[in-house]
Amino acid sequence: MIISVDREADFIDVLNSLPYGKKLLFGKLRGNHVQPSYEIRFMGTAGGGQFGMAEINFLNQRGSGIYTRDAEEVFIRAVDIERRGGDEWYLVDDVEHTLHTSY
């Protein structure tokens, strides 16, 4: 499923209902797979749930992330990310990724 920041309310609804086991990837679709450059996922923590955002490099390794409980902050960062390139946000299963992982 492709998600866009063009419709703020819809994007924030997706963020607020982001189920465990799903995440948003920003990347290019290659065949049936997404080559990600960023990810957003919802994580349960001892202090409650929070969003994690991280850049993913060309070897499919996650860089250091930003963590917040504020969906508006995540949306603003997502707008900045989407404006940098021609990629799109995809809602995918949240599996631990490696160089050979396909989404």
Side-chain angles (χ1 to χ4, degrees), residues 44-62:
T45 65
Q50 64 182 358
F51 297 101
M53 297 183 72
E55 188 170 359
I56 301 174
N57 69 19
F58 68 96
L59 293 175
N60 213 14
Q61 298 169 329
R62 188 181 300 122

Side-chain angles (χ1 to χ4, degrees), residues 7 10 12-14 16 18-20 22 26 32 35 38 41 46 67 70 76 81-82 91 99 103:
R7 295 170 45 169
D10 292 343
I12 290 177
D13 284 346
V14 169
N16 286 328
L18 200 59
Y20 290 104
K22 295 283 188 185
F26 185 73
N32 291 335
Q35 177 62 48
Y38 290 91
R41 57 189 183 148
Y67 302 94
D70 184 5
I76 291 168
I81 291 167
E82 191 170 309
L91 183 63
L99 179 58
Y103 296 101

Side-chain angles (χ1 to χ4, degrees), residues 9-96:
D10 292 343
F11 193 90
I12 290 177
D13 284 346
V14 169
L15 288 175
N16 286 328
S17 64
L18 200 59
Y20 290 104
K22 295 283 188 185
K23 65 182 170 183
L24 289 172
L25 290 179
F26 185 73
K28 293 189 183 327
L29 189 62
R30 304 209 187 273
N32 291 335
H33 308 292
V34 177
Q35 177 62 48
S37 55
Y38 290 91
E39 75 172 3
I40 299 173
R41 57 189 183 148
F42 187 78
M43 305 174 302
T45 65
Q50 64 182 358
F51 297 101
M53 297 183 72
E55 188 170 359
I56 301 174
N57 69 19
F58 68 96
L59 293 175
N60 213 14
Q61 298 169 329
R62 188 181 300 122
S64 61
I66 296 166
Y67 302 94
T68 182
R69 289 180 170 77
D70 184 5
E72 276 291 325
E73 180 181 350
V74 174
F75 173 75
I76 291 168
R77 291 179 184 274
V79 168
D80 289 341
I81 291 167
E82 191 170 309
R83 288 184 180 160
R84 289 182 202 158
D87 298 349
E88 297 182 282
W89 289 103
Y90 296 90
L91 183 63
V92 299
D93 290 333
D94 187 0
V95 295
E96 196 57 39

